[in-house]
Amino acid sequence: MSAYLVDPEHIHVLVRAGLPGRLGMISWPTDDDAIPTPSNGLIDVGQSRVRALRPESASAVGQLLLDANAASVITRYREDETYIYDYQRPGRVFEPIEILKAIDGYDYQSCEAPDWATSEAFHYWYHLRITQIRRIAGYSDADTWEITPTTGTLVDQRRKEARARRTQ
């Protein structure tokens, strides 16, 4: 397995994809004990603490992603290429399926660090992945939350709609 530091644009896209939109704000658990501020996105919720991605915390979340990716490269090659991250709006808009592929690419480059699966960056990765899956065209139309022998499929639904259009 290899690891490299992803391009800053890759991080920009992963951060932009998680910014609040029609599916709401992404937040995830953290053990960061810093004082909560808008720029670090930390929020106390009862007895626990979460980090939320908002425009004002985009650079902090991007740094978190960069640091996790760098930890993987350091683990694999003992090369430290870490830098100070500053969020910039990406140059292009990507579809959810493209973002999912970028999420998988980021995971592959960041998973070498021994604490990857318990890291805060992993928690963000996981929540971002879920939101992107929900943004895929047709996801909200699917009636397969629970599948039974009588559950209809999207193919069935499209065929029924096509027949209805032909009979009009």
Side-chain angles (χ1 to χ4, degrees):
M1 189 164 215
S2 65
Y4 62 81
L5 205 59
V6 299
D7 191 89
E9 187 73 1
H10 198 111
I11 303 285
H12 298 332
V13 169
L14 295 182
V15 171
R16 173 73 180 114
L19 284 169
R22 64 183 170 91
L23 293 176
M25 179 178 56
I26 295 177
S27 63
W28 59 95
T30 180
D31 59 0
D32 190 328
D33 61 358
I35 296 171
T37 67
S39 65
N40 66 21
L42 295 173
I43 303 168
D44 288 324
V45 181
Q47 298 292 341
S48 60
R49 179 168 277 192
V50 299
R51 188 179 311 271
L53 176 58
R54 297 181 175 135
E56 29 322 325
S57 63
S59 288
V61 172
Q63 187 72 53
L64 184 87
L65 296 176
L66 171 66
D67 291 347
N69 182 206
S72 183
V73 174
I74 292 167
T75 299
R76 185 79 171 138
Y77 300 111
R78 307 283 183 241
E79 297 174 6
D80 188 352
E81 301 174 13
T82 309
Y83 56 90
I84 303 298
Y85 176 82
D86 183 36
Y87 173 73
Q88 304 294 316
R89 189 176 184 90
R92 295 189 181 118
V93 175
F94 292 91
E95 294 292 321
I97 199 75
E98 294 170 306
I99 294 168
L100 278 169
K101 188 78 174 220
I103 290 167
D104 285 347
Y106 172 80
D107 174 48
Y108 189 83
Q109 298 310 321
S110 300
C111 69
E112 292 283 337
D115 66 343
W116 168 241
T118 59
S119 71
E120 190 177 341
F122 179 86
H123 287 292
Y124 175 77
W125 170 90
Y126 175 81
H127 285 83
L128 180 61
R129 195 169 212 292
I130 290 169
T131 63
Q132 293 309 306
I133 289 169
R134 291 178 180 160
R135 289 179 178 160
I136 293 173
Y139 182 87
S140 62
D141 298 331
D143 191 28
T144 51
W145 187 262
E146 178 185 11
I147 296 178
T148 67
T150 60
T151 302
T153 68
L154 287 175
V155 171
D156 296 336
Q157 184 180 339
R158 289 181 189 124
R159 286 180 183 154
K160 183 177 177 181
E161 290 168 357
R163 273 188 243 120
R165 283 193 302 272
R166 285 193 300 262
T167 60
Q168 290 178 348

